[in-house]
Structure formats: C-alpha cells, structure tokens
Amino acid sequence: MPLDALAIGNDAIAKVLDEIGDLIELKGENVFRAVTYRAAARAIRDLREPLSKLVEEKRLKEIPKVGPSVAEAIEQLVTTGRSKRHEELQAAVPPGLLTLLRVPGVGPATARTIYDHLKITSIDELEEAAKDHRLLQLPKIQAKTEENILKSIAALKQRTGRSLLHEARAAANEMVAYLRAATGAERISIAGSLRRYRETIGDVDIVVASESAAPIMEAFVRGPTVERILAQGETKSSVVVSRGLQIDLRVVPPASYGAALLYFTGSKEHNVRLRGLALRRKLLLNEYGLYRVGAEARGQEIAAETEEDVYGALGLDWIPPELREDRGEIDAAAAHALPKLVGVEQVRGDLHTHTSWTDGRDPLADMARRAKAKGYAYLAVTDHSPGLGMTYGLSPERIQARLAEAAGLNTELAPFRIIVGTEVDIRANGKLDYPDEILAKLDIVSASVHSSFAQTREQMTARVTGAMRHPLVTAVSHPTGRLLEKREAHAVDLDAVIAAAVETGTWIEVNGGPERLDLPDTWIRKAIERGATLVTNSDAHAIEELEWMDLAIGTARRGWATEGSIVNTRGLAATMEARKKR
Ligand code: DGT
Ligand code: CA
Ligand code: CA
Ligand code: ZN
C-alpha cells in the first residue's frame, strides 16, 4: 500500500489542532496555549506539502507557529492518526460542550459559562434556553448575543447533512485510489449523485467489476479513511469516513458492469423512466442487465457490459450522467438530439479570480503562471472593491500598481495574457463601489452582491439588473448569492436577470466555488434557452482553486450547456470581442 494512502491529510490534522485549541479553552486552561494550536492550524491549511512528508524529513520547525508541543501532536497524528493531548483533553471536557461550539457566535468562554450555570450540552437545549431568555441572566451575555445565538441555530437547522460536491469527491477519490492499489481491481467507478455532479451529495456510491467480491469488501472496510463500518455484505458494504460521509460500495460481475453503473448512477427518476421504456418493449432492466421477458424468451440477456450497450439496446444514445435527472434527456436521446455538452478541456481561460492584492492567498504572478501551465490563454484577476465587508478592497492607487505588475508579467508570459479586472460590489442602493473612471481602466468588470441580502425581491432585482445595465459591467457574478448548506439564495427575480442579460449583453456567471455553484443548473438551462451568454469561473482565491473550473463546467453541463453558450471557451480576442459595447 502506498504511504500516502495511509497518511492523514493536512486538513484533518488542522481540524484536530483547532479542536485541541477549543478543548483547552473549554477546560479553562491558559488561552494562549489555545491560540498556539489555532495559529498552527491556520499555517497548516496554507501549506503546499503533506505534513507526512515534513515529518519524515524532520522539517516541522519550518512551519511558522509550530512549537515543540504542536510538533509532537502533529507527529503522533501523522504516524498513528491520533494525538495524546487531544485524547486527554477529550476525556477532561464534558461531552456536549464541543457541540455548543458548533453554533456560530458561541465561543469557548460563552459555552463554558452556559454549561457551568445551566448544564446545557445540546443545541436543542440551548435554543430553548435562548427562547426563554435564560441566557440573559448569565454573566457577560447580552440581549444581542442571545438573539444572534437564535439566528445561528436557525441557520444550522438549514443544513440537510448533505456534503459539498468537492468534499465528497475528495473522499471518494481517496477511496478509489486506495481500492485500486490494494485490490488491483481495474474497473472502479464513482456512481450516484457524485457522478452526476449534483450540487450536494447524500452519500458516495462506488461500483467495482470483479469476479470475486470478498477480498474487495475486505479491503474496503479496512480502508485507511474508514471511521465506522455500517454494513458488510457479500456484494454491498457501507462505511463512514471523515465528516460523517457515507460511502456505499457494490461489487458486480464484470459482465454486468455497465448495467450496474447505469443503475447506481441514477437518478432514481431517470432509472424509473428507463425501466418504463424497457417494459413497453417487453424488456426488463435491472442492475445486472437488460433482459427479454415472456415465456419463450426465458430471460435472454440483451445488454449489460457497458452503459452504451444498454442505452443502445433501448434505442437511445448514451446519456451523460449530468443529464440523468428525468428532465427530457431520454426523449432527446431517443431522437438523437442530446446537446453536445461543453467539456472542461474546452475552457480557454478563467475570468473571476482573486490574488494576494486583496483576499486571495497567492500572488498575481503565481496565479498567472499556474493558469498558463493549465493551458489557458488568459486569466482575469478580479480583486475586490473596497466596499462593505471587503476589508482588503483595492484603493485606486493600488489598482494602478497592480496594472503595472500585470503589464510586466504579460511581457514575460506572452502570448498568455493577464486581463486586469475587478469584482465590484453592488452597494445596497444599487450604485457600484468604484467610480466610472476606475471601471473604465479595467477590461473585465464583474458585479456582485456581498451585503444587504435581506432586501425585498423588488429591491434586489432592481439592484442587480440596474448594475447589469451599466455599460462598463461585463458580467454579473454568483447571481443568487446562495451558500450551499449555509445560506439561502437571496430573493431575486432570476427571470428578470436573464432578461436583462439578453437585453444588455451582460454575461451571467456560473461560479464554480464549491459552496456556490451559482447560477444553479435549472436556471442555467433557462438562461441558455433564452439566449443569454454564460461565463464559467473558478472564483479561485489560491492557485489550486483554479481547479474549481471543473465544478463550474459540471454545473453548466447539468444545465445542458454546450461550448457555444460559454463565452470563455473562446480565445482571448473573441472573448474580449464578446463583451458588450462600452
Ligand atoms: P444522494 O446519495 O442522495 O446524493 O443521491 P443518489 O442519486 O446518489 O442516491 P443513492 O445513493 O440513494 O442511490 C444511487 C443510485 O442508485 C440512485 O440514483 C438509484 C439507485 N438506487 C439505489 N438504491 C436503490 C433502490 O433501492 N431502488 C432504486 N430504484 N434505485 C436505487
Ligand atoms: Ca449517493
Ligand atoms: Ca448510496
Ligand atoms: Zn469573487
């Protein structure tokens, strides 16, 4: 087994260190020790190498903020997956106190006070106490705090427990890589909602083709990321990995691989309709294959080995997983009229990214070099305006300095091109956060809402479409403002936004940020049908986040997008030409 399959990842280690910090405070130890662990966690999240490598090469001291006690915890985590300090603290702090910390706005000191006085250890109890104003009687808790706690709990209850697509995918890829290495199985595929690029994932489904299931099941439940085994059967097993994510594994005979993959990719609605279509042709479709039914047919197999065979035997073209939602794809496949979906390899550049000039992690030069290495022809840097909430927005002087830096890099990296732009805030009153003379210097102006989300639908719609009517605005970013599993979309009339896009030539963004995936898929389809131009962006704040373009494209594909509807599949000149007249 490769060492890296065993290793606990940097994020997981950072999470344990953060939790040690929380536990130290909950226990009432010196808060400065807690600060040390949290600072180390932050430094680790910014690392570009696996900690296991640093431990192996005895280079932990190179990480800022990592002193001897933190280094010891990291070494233990890397080698055993556990930390003594963490376990001691867990034993010393009443279970349930950490639960209270899950409520944003409740820090360790507040949690401690609440627990000491009211013996509360669950979120439901906390909510009840806040509603009865019992928190107000506690030292250092004000009416505002109590109100915020209630709001936070309401937001927590918004969560469905589903995982973000990119988190589920990381966990799934880790498991698939391990299974390949550990079992030698060749045909392994991710199925279910993850293969369909659904925006959130209930559980991960993996299908393996093999004549002998037992050794694969055995390897699966012993996987290095497995925290709990839910079920272990002959052909189906389920485990829980980090963050409570469930992974289901099915092992099927190689001859049934296509039928199984199709069945377990779903969606359920797609499968139901396929089975209905099969029955009308006197065929039976299940996870083993497509069979003839009736007395004389004796279950004769028609197709099973590949998805293409099964669809083909039903008179259908192969349907890309992103379309399998029973939204008309089966009729289109029967008519040989499926769209030729856009692919991530067709993307020529990214038009929404951030650098260390504002709240991004990496310098402009690094972002540009990575984009060039990806094969892009161009990259737009769209750092934030100074508006509300954007603490590091660019002042006019710094915009000038950034333009100069980009000009230098453009000479060096030619023909690759950095496009200098901005993500300008649309203020609550609809005004843009930069004056026109600044916007006029920038080649891409993406306008977006980052504040006053509670406006009425009429106000918000006027605010957004008003910005789209501004001649210097190129695109509208993350149009619904939703944050998956965190924040509802704000009230906005998307039909009006699409109409404004068509009327003014403003592009609508499909933002690939894993929490956003915004514009959502069903609206993408409507926007395309009505002739709007879309732009797929990563909204990267670090070099590796440029890979989020794949999530934007996956979402666009779910909206039936072809190359022609996505402006950044064009080259530099054609993309700049596609901007509205300024
Ligand atoms: P999720 O996990 O909620 O994000 O969504 P899916 O689509 O991955 O759903 P899941 O994991 O329950 O099942 C994966 C696919 O397998 C599903 O789309 C259809 C198929 N499937 C699984 N179990 C059953 C079943 O008991 N009956 C039927 N009809 N289909 C099933
Ligand atoms: Ca699933
Ligand atoms: Ca499942
Ligand atoms: Zn942004």
Side-chain angles (χ1 to χ4, degrees):
M1 193 190 315
L3 184 70
D4 60 354
L6 258 176
I8 161 169
N10 290 9
D11 272 348
I13 291 176
K15 205 176 139 202
V16 176
L17 297 183
D18 270 334
E19 199 169 294
I20 292 177
D22 291 343
L23 287 164
I24 286 173
E25 265 189 82
L26 288 172
K27 196 178 158 208
E29 282 186 26
N30 189 334
V31 292
F32 289 107
R33 291 206 192 116
V35 171
T36 314
Y37 280 91
R38 292 205 191 99
R42 210 170 315 125
I44 285 169
R45 286 199 173 90
D46 279 348
L47 279 183
R48 289 143 203 240
E49 299 177 278
L51 277 165
S52 51
K53 185 160 171 257
L54 290 172
V55 167
E56 210 174 306
E57 297 169 4
K58 304 219 181 319
R59 288 165 44 218
L60 279 184
K61 283 195 208 72
E62 289 174 19
I63 311 171
K65 322 281 183 199
V66 171
S69 59
V70 178
E72 193 185 339
I74 294 174
E75 277 167 15
Q76 290 171 355
L77 284 164
V78 164
T79 49
T80 68
R82 295 153 55 167
S83 139
K84 199 153 162 263
R85 177 83 158 124
H86 186 225
E87 286 176 357
E88 280 167 4
L89 283 162
Q90 276 179 322
V93 173
L97 261 182
L98 267 180
T99 315
L100 298 186
L101 286 190
R102 280 179 41 218
V103 179
V106 177
T110 312
R112 188 83 226 178
T113 308
I114 293 170
Y115 173 80
D116 285 347
H117 290 82
L118 302 172
K119 292 286 167 270
I120 286 173
T121 59
S122 78
I123 291 175
D124 283 340
E125 288 167 1
L126 180 63
E127 184 176 28
E128 238 172 78
K131 280 187 179 152
D132 298 346
H133 302 301
R134 273 184 286 141
L135 302 184
L136 274 185
Q137 298 151 15
L138 306 182
K140 289 195 203 152
I141 293 192
Q142 290 149 1
K144 186 91 186 156
T145 314
E146 200 177 63
E147 205 178 292
N148 284 340
I149 287 175
L150 277 175
K151 270 194 204 154
S152 300
I153 292 176
L156 269 183
K157 293 195 164 170
Q158 270 272 318
R159 293 191 196 166
T160 61
R162 297 177 64 85
S163 302
L164 295 179
L165 177 57
H166 83 307
E167 287 171 1
R169 187 162 62 170
N173 285 341
E174 223 172 326
M175 180 58 86
V176 167
Y178 157 75
L179 282 176
R180 261 188 231 292
T183 69
E186 275 167 26
R187 283 203 281 174
I188 304 184
S189 175
I190 289 170
S193 51
L194 186 52
R195 185 168 177 232
R196 305 197 311 275
Y197 274 78
R198 225 187 118 173
E199 58 202 23
T200 59
I201 305 298
D203 63 25
V204 170
D205 303 276
I206 298 176
V207 178
V208 179
S210 175
E211 295 293 359
S212 63
I216 292 171
M217 288 303 172
E218 203 52 41
F220 176 61
V221 298
R222 288 170 196 278
T225 56
V226 172
E227 285 182 358
R228 210 145 46 88
I229 301 171
L230 296 176
Q232 183 177 4
E234 277 174 28
T235 60
K236 181 188 163 181
S237 298
S238 297
V239 299
V240 174
V241 296
S242 61
R243 294 199 188 100
L245 180 68
Q246 181 177 334
I247 304 186
D248 293 343
L249 175 77
R250 272 94 172 180
V251 182
V252 301
S256 293
Y257 188 58
L261 197 51
L262 196 160
Y263 183 91
F264 293 114
T265 295
S267 66
K268 198 165 163 220
E269 293 74 15
H270 176 86
N271 289 359
V272 165
R273 196 163 284 264
L274 272 189
R275 278 200 296 275
L277 182 72
L279 282 178
R280 283 199 295 284
R281 298 175 168 228
K282 299 233 177 350
L283 300 171
L284 178 71
L285 177 63
N286 61 29
E287 64 265 54
Y288 298 104
L290 181 66
Y291 304 92
R292 234 183 272 289
V293 287
E296 70 285 7
R298 291 207 200 112
Q300 183 201 350
E301 183 182 287
I302 302 203
E305 186 146 14
T306 69
E307 283 191 340
E308 284 82 353
D309 293 344
V310 178
Y311 279 116
L314 290 168
L316 304 175
D317 290 342
W318 178 80
I319 302 177
E322 295 91 335
L323 299 186
R324 301 183 194 173
E325 298 289 347
D326 189 23
R327 293 175 182 161
E329 70 280 8
I330 293 177
D331 287 343
H336 308 296
L338 284 170
K340 192 170 175 340
L341 297 182
V342 63
V344 73
E345 67 289 346
Q346 290 171 319
V347 170
R348 304 296 310 282
D350 198 328
L351 294 173
H352 180 171
T353 66
H354 300 270
T355 71
S356 54
W357 275 101
T358 59
D359 62 343
R361 188 195 69 188
D362 291 320
L364 174 56
D366 294 1
M367 293 289 280
R369 290 202 181 96
R370 174 63 74 95
K372 186 179 178 186
K374 277 173 68 62
Y376 285 165
Y378 50 89
L379 174 81
V381 284
T382 51
D383 283 306
H384 290 289
S385 64
L388 202 76
M390 294 297 137
T391 33
Y392 302 106
L394 279 187
S395 64
E397 297 72 35
R398 299 185 70 228
I399 286 184
Q400 210 54 49
R402 191 184 54 155
L403 278 165
E405 185 188 6
L409 284 164
N410 277 337
T411 313
E412 179 192 328
L413 301 174
F416 176 86
R417 178 68 178 275
I418 296 170
I419 301 167
V420 181
T422 180
E423 177 178 8
V424 66
D425 223 27
I426 312 172
R427 293 180 188 160
N429 63 7
K431 291 227 160 61
L432 298 176
D433 200 33
Y434 279 130
D436 288 359
E437 59 268 27
I438 289 187
L439 295 178
K441 289 185 191 170
L442 302 166
D443 284 326
I444 291 277
V445 175
S446 225
S448 55
V449 167
H450 290 113
S451 62
S452 302
F453 301 112
Q455 288 183 328
T456 65
R457 186 175 161 92
E458 289 68 33
Q459 283 173 322
M460 188 63 89
T461 305
R463 178 177 174 192
V464 173
T465 56
M468 293 170 77
R469 292 206 163 80
H470 192 295
L472 293 171
V473 168
T474 326
V476 58
S477 287
H478 44 77
T480 79
R482 74 173 179 183
L483 292 181
L484 294 166
E485 298 293 298
K486 237 188 222 168
R487 188 172 78 202
E488 284 280 322
H490 48 240
V492 62
D493 180 353
L494 288 175
D495 279 311
V497 170
I498 293 170
V502 175
E503 177 200 319
T504 62
T506 310
W507 308 335
I508 303 180
E509 180 181 66
V510 179
N511 185 300
E515 292 189 321
R516 293 197 183 271
L517 304 181
D518 185 8
L519 197 63
D521 52 14
T522 49
W523 284 101
I524 291 171
R525 191 156 167 204
K526 284 185 208 177
I528 292 171
E529 279 165 7
R530 288 164 59 184
T533 298
L534 300 176
V535 55
T536 52
N537 289 323
S538 70
D539 199 355
H541 286 65
I543 47 177
E544 62 273 12
E545 291 173 6
L546 288 167
E547 301 310 319
W548 289 348
M549 180 64 78
D550 179 62
L551 301 176
I553 290 290
T555 304
R557 286 166 62 89
R558 285 179 63 83
W560 294 50
T562 61
E563 185 182 8
S565 4
I566 309 293
V567 74
N568 51 315
T569 58
R570 304 178 202 173
L572 176 66
T575 299
M576 291 294 102
E577 188 59 32
R579 293 173 309 164
K580 69 184 172 207
K581 296 288 162 280
R582 302 174 137 225

